[in-house]
mmCIF file of all heavy atoms in Angstrom:
data_model
loop_
_atom_site.group_PDB
_atom_site.id
_atom_site.type_symbol
_atom_site.label_atom_id
_atom_site.label_comp_id
_atom_site.label_asym_id
_atom_site.label_seq_id
_atom_site.Cartn_x
_atom_site.Cartn_y
_atom_site.Cartn_z
ATOM 1 N N LEU A 2 78.232 15.798 77.632
ATOM 2 C CA LEU A 2 77.582 16.604 78.671
ATOM 3 C C LEU A 2 76.148 16.896 78.271
ATOM 4 O O LEU A 2 75.847 17.033 77.079
ATOM 5 C CB LEU A 2 78.315 17.939 78.854
ATOM 6 C CG LEU A 2 79.706 17.899 79.449
ATOM 7 C CD1 LEU A 2 80.369 19.259 79.315
ATOM 8 C CD2 LEU A 2 79.648 17.480 80.902
ATOM 9 N N PRO A 3 75.272 17.052 79.266
ATOM 10 C CA PRO A 3 73.915 17.513 78.957
ATOM 11 C C PRO A 3 73.985 18.905 78.332
ATOM 12 O O PRO A 3 74.938 19.656 78.541
ATOM 13 C CB PRO A 3 73.220 17.568 80.322
ATOM 14 C CG PRO A 3 74.070 16.780 81.237
ATOM 15 C CD PRO A 3 75.461 16.804 80.686
ATOM 16 N N ASP A 4 72.962 19.253 77.569
ATOM 17 C CA ASP A 4 72.945 20.497 76.810
ATOM 18 C C ASP A 4 73.229 21.729 77.669
ATOM 19 O O ASP A 4 74.036 22.580 77.301
ATOM 20 C CB ASP A 4 71.600 20.640 76.085
ATOM 21 C CG ASP A 4 71.704 21.552 74.892
ATOM 22 O OD1 ASP A 4 72.715 21.484 74.174
ATOM 23 O OD2 ASP A 4 70.764 22.348 74.692
ATOM 24 N N ALA A 5 72.581 21.826 78.815
ATOM 25 C CA ALA A 5 72.756 23.011 79.671
ATOM 26 C C ALA A 5 74.197 23.121 80.169
ATOM 27 O O ALA A 5 74.762 24.227 80.215
ATOM 28 C CB ALA A 5 71.790 22.960 80.850
ATOM 29 N N GLU A 6 74.794 22.006 80.537
ATOM 30 C CA GLU A 6 76.179 22.039 81.037
ATOM 31 C C GLU A 6 77.163 22.331 79.904
ATOM 32 O O GLU A 6 78.160 23.022 80.110
ATOM 33 C CB GLU A 6 76.513 20.737 81.755
ATOM 34 C CG GLU A 6 75.740 20.597 83.052
ATOM 35 C CD GLU A 6 76.156 19.412 83.880
ATOM 36 O OE1 GLU A 6 77.371 19.148 83.988
ATOM 37 O OE2 GLU A 6 75.256 18.757 84.427
ATOM 38 N N ALA A 7 76.887 21.814 78.715
ATOM 39 C CA ALA A 7 77.747 22.103 77.565
ATOM 40 C C ALA A 7 77.672 23.585 77.215
ATOM 41 O O ALA A 7 78.686 24.207 76.891
ATOM 42 C CB ALA A 7 77.336 21.245 76.376
ATOM 43 N N GLU A 8 76.490 24.147 77.315
ATOM 44 C CA GLU A 8 76.314 25.576 77.036
ATOM 45 C C GLU A 8 77.079 26.425 78.047
ATOM 46 O O GLU A 8 77.757 27.394 77.688
ATOM 47 C CB GLU A 8 74.824 25.924 77.083
ATOM 48 C CG GLU A 8 74.509 27.324 76.629
ATOM 49 C CD GLU A 8 73.012 27.589 76.589
ATOM 50 O OE1 GLU A 8 72.242 26.678 76.250
ATOM 51 O OE2 GLU A 8 72.632 28.732 76.914
ATOM 52 N N ALA A 9 77.013 26.043 79.319
ATOM 53 C CA ALA A 9 77.742 26.766 80.361
ATOM 54 C C ALA A 9 79.251 26.640 80.144
ATOM 55 O O ALA A 9 79.997 27.611 80.308
ATOM 56 C CB ALA A 9 77.356 26.235 81.739
ATOM 57 N N ALA A 10 79.708 25.446 79.757
ATOM 58 C CA ALA A 10 81.140 25.233 79.504
ATOM 59 C C ALA A 10 81.604 26.084 78.328
ATOM 60 O O ALA A 10 82.687 26.667 78.363
ATOM 61 C CB ALA A 10 81.409 23.758 79.234
ATOM 62 N N GLU A 11 80.763 26.189 77.303
ATOM 63 C CA GLU A 11 81.115 26.986 76.134
ATOM 64 C C GLU A 11 81.229 28.471 76.503
ATOM 65 O O GLU A 11 82.120 29.169 76.028
ATOM 66 C CB GLU A 11 80.063 26.786 75.046
ATOM 67 C CG GLU A 11 80.438 27.389 73.719
ATOM 68 C CD GLU A 11 79.417 27.066 72.641
ATOM 69 O OE1 GLU A 11 78.237 26.843 72.956
ATOM 70 O OE2 GLU A 11 79.832 27.064 71.472
ATOM 71 N N SER A 12 80.357 28.936 77.379
ATOM 72 C CA SER A 12 80.415 30.330 77.837
ATOM 73 C C SER A 12 81.671 30.592 78.660
ATOM 74 O O SER A 12 82.285 31.650 78.546
ATOM 75 C CB SER A 12 79.189 30.662 78.690
ATOM 76 O OG SER A 12 78.029 30.609 77.914
ATOM 77 N N ALA A 13 82.054 29.625 79.491
ATOM 78 C CA ALA A 13 83.212 29.792 80.365
ATOM 79 C C ALA A 13 84.542 29.612 79.635
ATOM 80 O O ALA A 13 85.571 30.114 80.088
ATOM 81 C CB ALA A 13 83.128 28.806 81.532
ATOM 82 N N HIS A 14 84.521 28.884 78.515
ATOM 83 C CA HIS A 14 85.762 28.574 77.786
ATOM 84 C C HIS A 14 85.575 28.914 76.310
ATOM 85 O O HIS A 14 85.188 28.058 75.509
ATOM 86 C CB HIS A 14 86.123 27.098 77.972
ATOM 87 C CG HIS A 14 86.234 26.709 79.406
ATOM 88 N ND1 HIS A 14 87.305 27.049 80.186
ATOM 89 C CD2 HIS A 14 85.375 26.045 80.222
ATOM 90 C CE1 HIS A 14 87.112 26.597 81.419
ATOM 91 N NE2 HIS A 14 85.941 25.993 81.461
ATOM 92 N N PRO A 15 85.876 30.158 75.925
ATOM 93 C CA PRO A 15 85.617 30.624 74.557
ATOM 94 C C PRO A 15 86.351 29.838 73.468
ATOM 95 O O PRO A 15 85.897 29.803 72.334
ATOM 96 C CB PRO A 15 86.075 32.072 74.563
ATOM 97 C CG PRO A 15 86.343 32.441 75.975
ATOM 98 C CD PRO A 15 86.415 31.190 76.776
ATOM 99 N N SER A 16 87.453 29.183 73.810
ATOM 100 C CA SER A 16 88.177 28.407 72.792
ATOM 101 C C SER A 16 87.533 27.040 72.568
ATOM 102 O O SER A 16 87.931 26.305 71.672
ATOM 103 C CB SER A 16 89.645 28.232 73.182
ATOM 104 O OG SER A 16 89.740 27.488 74.379
ATOM 105 N N GLY A 17 86.542 26.713 73.379
ATOM 106 C CA GLY A 17 85.835 25.440 73.235
ATOM 107 C C GLY A 17 84.687 25.562 72.260
ATOM 108 O O GLY A 17 84.340 26.643 71.789
ATOM 109 N N GLU A 18 84.099 24.415 71.965
ATOM 110 C CA GLU A 18 82.975 24.379 71.043
ATOM 111 C C GLU A 18 82.046 23.229 71.402
ATOM 112 O O GLU A 18 82.452 22.287 72.081
ATOM 113 C CB GLU A 18 83.456 24.219 69.604
ATOM 114 C CG GLU A 18 84.221 22.914 69.374
ATOM 115 C CD GLU A 18 84.877 22.820 68.014
ATOM 116 O OE1 GLU A 18 84.754 23.763 67.212
ATOM 117 O OE2 GLU A 18 85.525 21.795 67.754
ATOM 118 N N ARG A 19 80.826 23.332 70.942
ATOM 119 C CA ARG A 19 79.863 22.260 71.172
ATOM 120 C C ARG A 19 80.284 21.039 70.379
ATOM 121 O O ARG A 19 80.795 21.138 69.266
ATOM 122 C CB ARG A 19 78.460 22.687 70.735
ATOM 123 C CG ARG A 19 77.908 23.866 71.515
ATOM 124 C CD ARG A 19 77.767 23.586 73.002
ATOM 125 N NE ARG A 19 76.631 22.786 73.353
ATOM 126 C CZ ARG A 19 75.402 23.230 73.519
ATOM 127 N NH1 ARG A 19 75.149 24.510 73.371
ATOM 128 N NH2 ARG A 19 74.437 22.427 73.834
ATOM 129 N N LEU A 20 80.075 19.881 70.953
ATOM 130 C CA LEU A 20 80.349 18.614 70.293
ATOM 131 C C LEU A 20 79.019 18.127 69.727
ATOM 132 O O LEU A 20 78.051 17.950 70.471
ATOM 133 C CB LEU A 20 80.917 17.625 71.321
ATOM 134 C CG LEU A 20 81.415 16.286 70.855
ATOM 135 C CD1 LEU A 20 82.505 16.455 69.810
ATOM 136 C CD2 LEU A 20 81.970 15.497 72.028
ATOM 137 N N VAL A 21 78.968 17.964 68.409
ATOM 138 C CA VAL A 21 77.715 17.607 67.737
ATOM 139 C C VAL A 21 77.918 16.324 66.951
ATOM 140 O O VAL A 21 78.925 16.158 66.255
ATOM 141 C CB VAL A 21 77.266 18.751 66.784
ATOM 142 C CG1 VAL A 21 75.997 18.380 66.054
ATOM 143 C CG2 VAL A 21 77.085 20.046 67.562
ATOM 144 N N ARG A 22 76.973 15.419 67.069
ATOM 145 C CA ARG A 22 77.003 14.172 66.306
ATOM 146 C C ARG A 22 75.668 14.042 65.576
ATOM 147 O O ARG A 22 74.614 14.063 66.207
ATOM 148 C CB ARG A 22 77.225 12.964 67.210
ATOM 149 C CG ARG A 22 77.295 11.662 66.419
ATOM 150 C CD ARG A 22 77.601 10.439 67.271
ATOM 151 N NE ARG A 22 78.949 10.548 67.813
ATOM 152 C CZ ARG A 22 79.293 10.144 69.025
ATOM 153 N NH1 ARG A 22 78.399 9.605 69.830
ATOM 154 N NH2 ARG A 22 80.524 10.267 69.451
ATOM 155 N N ARG A 23 75.742 13.921 64.255
ATOM 156 C CA ARG A 23 74.548 13.788 63.404
ATOM 157 C C ARG A 23 73.526 14.891 63.666
ATOM 158 O O ARG A 23 72.330 14.634 63.772
ATOM 159 C CB ARG A 23 73.919 12.415 63.581
ATOM 160 C CG ARG A 23 74.819 11.292 63.146
ATOM 161 C CD ARG A 23 74.137 9.966 63.278
ATOM 162 N NE ARG A 23 75.113 8.912 63.000
ATOM 163 C CZ ARG A 23 75.010 7.686 63.437
ATOM 164 N NH1 ARG A 23 73.972 7.323 64.153
ATOM 165 N NH2 ARG A 23 75.930 6.800 63.143
ATOM 166 N N GLY A 24 74.023 16.100 63.843
ATOM 167 C CA GLY A 24 73.144 17.239 64.040
ATOM 168 C C GLY A 24 72.623 17.424 65.454
ATOM 169 O O GLY A 24 71.919 18.379 65.735
ATOM 170 N N THR A 25 72.974 16.510 66.371
ATOM 171 C CA THR A 25 72.501 16.593 67.750
ATOM 172 C C THR A 25 73.652 16.955 68.671
ATOM 173 O O THR A 25 74.691 16.285 68.655
ATOM 174 C CB THR A 25 71.901 15.236 68.190
ATOM 175 O OG1 THR A 25 70.870 14.877 67.287
ATOM 176 C CG2 THR A 25 71.360 15.303 69.599
ATOM 177 N N PRO A 26 73.500 18.002 69.502
ATOM 178 C CA PRO A 26 74.567 18.338 70.451
ATOM 179 C C PRO A 26 74.693 17.236 71.515
ATOM 180 O O PRO A 26 73.695 16.818 72.089
ATOM 181 C CB PRO A 26 74.107 19.646 71.092
ATOM 182 C CG PRO A 26 72.773 19.978 70.529
ATOM 183 C CD PRO A 26 72.377 18.915 69.573
ATOM 184 N N ILE A 27 75.934 16.773 71.704
ATOM 185 C CA ILE A 27 76.160 15.704 72.688
ATOM 186 C C ILE A 27 77.183 16.074 73.752
ATOM 187 O O ILE A 27 77.434 15.298 74.661
ATOM 188 C CB ILE A 27 76.593 14.382 72.009
ATOM 189 C CG1 ILE A 27 77.917 14.565 71.270
ATOM 190 C CG2 ILE A 27 75.506 13.852 71.097
ATOM 191 C CD1 ILE A 27 78.584 13.267 70.871
ATOM 192 N N GLY A 28 77.776 17.256 73.641
ATOM 193 C CA GLY A 28 78.771 17.611 74.643
ATOM 194 C C GLY A 28 79.577 18.836 74.281
ATOM 195 O O GLY A 28 79.092 19.741 73.614
ATOM 196 N N PHE A 29 80.829 18.802 74.713
ATOM 197 C CA PHE A 29 81.705 19.967 74.626
ATOM 198 C C PHE A 29 83.122 19.501 74.341
ATOM 199 O O PHE A 29 83.554 18.461 74.831
ATOM 200 C CB PHE A 29 81.643 20.709 75.962
ATOM 201 C CG PHE A 29 82.521 21.919 76.052
ATOM 202 C CD1 PHE A 29 82.260 23.048 75.289
ATOM 203 C CD2 PHE A 29 83.593 21.937 76.921
ATOM 204 C CE1 PHE A 29 83.064 24.173 75.384
ATOM 205 C CE2 PHE A 29 84.399 23.055 77.026
ATOM 206 C CZ PHE A 29 84.126 24.175 76.254
#
């Protein structure tokens, strides 16, 4: 997911987390 959508998903779903690859956020 794009960063803004991943951030919104993380806010809406507290059990979720950002998906990071090599230090770069790539999703949720």
Side-chain angles (χ1 to χ4, degrees):
L2 292 169
D4 203 40
E6 291 187 42
E8 188 176 324
E11 189 175 27
S12 294
H14 305 285
S16 63
E18 62 188 0
R19 297 299 283 277
L20 186 57
V21 178
R22 182 176 294 143
R23 297 183 187 156
T25 304
I27 62 166
F29 178 68

